[in-house]
Amino acid sequence: MTAELDSTDRKILELLQKDARLPNKDLAERVGVAPSTALERVRSLRRRGLITAFRAEVDTQALGRPLEALLAMRVRPHTSQLVEPLRAFVLGLPETIALFHVAGPQDFLVHVAVPDADHLHRLILERILVRQEIVHLETTLIFRTERRTVQGPVS
């Protein structure tokens, strides 16, 4: 179900995706509405599930984790009894940035950030591949990540 968005809602979403710390007064001014209207619009966007969270984006390189990789994993058997514990395990690893449960030849893609190749090697061999449900793993190093910072409806 697609939410109905008018131009004010779209502009609020755009501005908050660029800077979630934008004060309500400044948001209202940039959108061209009263501060009380801007506040109610943001609350409505949250209630309707369009805004799900406000977060800070962290530079993993500045945290001493400059090497990023995607781990493509195949698991067997692919059942909910196996998937949920594996999901919790992967999300509990400090190296994990994101976990994607996907369709296709692989079952999961795991985005990780680590200090160096040795750490990645140990993570894969000593923490991940020791799990019996993982029957295949492929590693792809990430040279650069570029994200679109603003998401909106596709017209």
Side-chain angles (χ1 to χ4, degrees), residues 13-14 24 30 45 49 54-55 60 71-72 84 88 91 107 113 122-123 125 134 147 152:
L13 288 172
E14 177 186 338
N24 187 62
R30 291 184 191 179
L45 290 166
F54 294 94
R55 35 174 93 79
T60 55
L71 309 179
E84 286 309 310
L91 290 173
D107 299 311
R122 284 191 313 278
L123 172 67
L125 289 180
I134 299 172
R147 289 184 174 85

Side-chain angles (χ1 to χ4, degrees), residues 56-63:
E57 203 166 304
V58 178
D59 181 349
T60 55
Q61 187 161 349
L63 288 175

Side-chain angles (χ1 to χ4, degrees), residues 136-147:
H136 183 78
L137 185 138
E138 291 179 22
T139 304
T140 303
L141 295 180
I142 298 171
F143 292 132
R144 182 182 321 166
T145 301
E146 297 182 46
R147 289 184 174 85

Side-chain angles (χ1 to χ4, degrees), residues 2-154:
T2 304
E4 292 295 321
L5 299 172
D6 64 15
S7 61
T8 301
D9 289 335
R10 289 175 193 249
K11 186 67 175 173
I12 288 170
L13 288 172
E14 177 186 338
L15 291 168
L16 289 178
Q17 285 179 85
K18 288 179 182 174
D19 181 4
R21 296 184 63 193
L22 186 65
N24 187 62
K25 181 179 97 93
D26 296 343
L27 177 64
E29 184 178 305
R30 291 184 191 179
V31 174
V33 297
S36 59
T37 301
L39 183 60
E40 183 49 41
R41 289 291 189 117
V42 171
R43 286 179 178 157
S44 172
L45 290 166
R46 290 190 74 191
R47 271 192 314 273
R48 293 169 25 203
L50 282 121
I51 296 175
T52 59
F54 294 94
R55 35 174 93 79
E57 203 166 304
V58 178
D59 181 349
T60 55
Q61 187 161 349
L63 288 175
R65 298 165 50 190
L67 182 62
E68 293 184 42
L70 284 177
L71 309 179
M73 300 187 313
R74 192 173 315 133
V75 299
R76 292 295 175 266
H78 193 163
T79 64
S80 59
Q81 293 83 8
L82 181 139
V83 166
E84 286 309 310
L86 180 62
R87 183 185 154 283
F89 166 76
V90 170
L91 290 173
L93 294 170
E95 295 88 353
T96 300
I97 293 174
L99 170 66
F100 303 93
H101 191 178
V102 297
Q106 307 301 331
D107 299 311
F108 292 95
L109 295 176
V110 183
H111 182 187
V112 298
V114 296
D116 53 42
D118 286 336
H119 188 110
L120 180 61
H121 187 245
R122 284 191 313 278
L123 172 67
I124 291 168
L125 289 180
E126 298 171 10
R127 307 277 313 278
I128 295 174
L129 286 178
V130 296
R131 296 188 62 101
Q132 293 181 358
E133 68 268 30
I134 299 172
V135 297
H136 183 78
L137 185 138
E138 291 179 22
T139 304
T140 303
L141 295 180
I142 298 171
F143 292 132
R144 182 182 321 166
T145 301
E146 297 182 46
R147 289 184 174 85
R148 290 196 56 208
T149 56
V150 176
Q151 300 297 320
V154 179

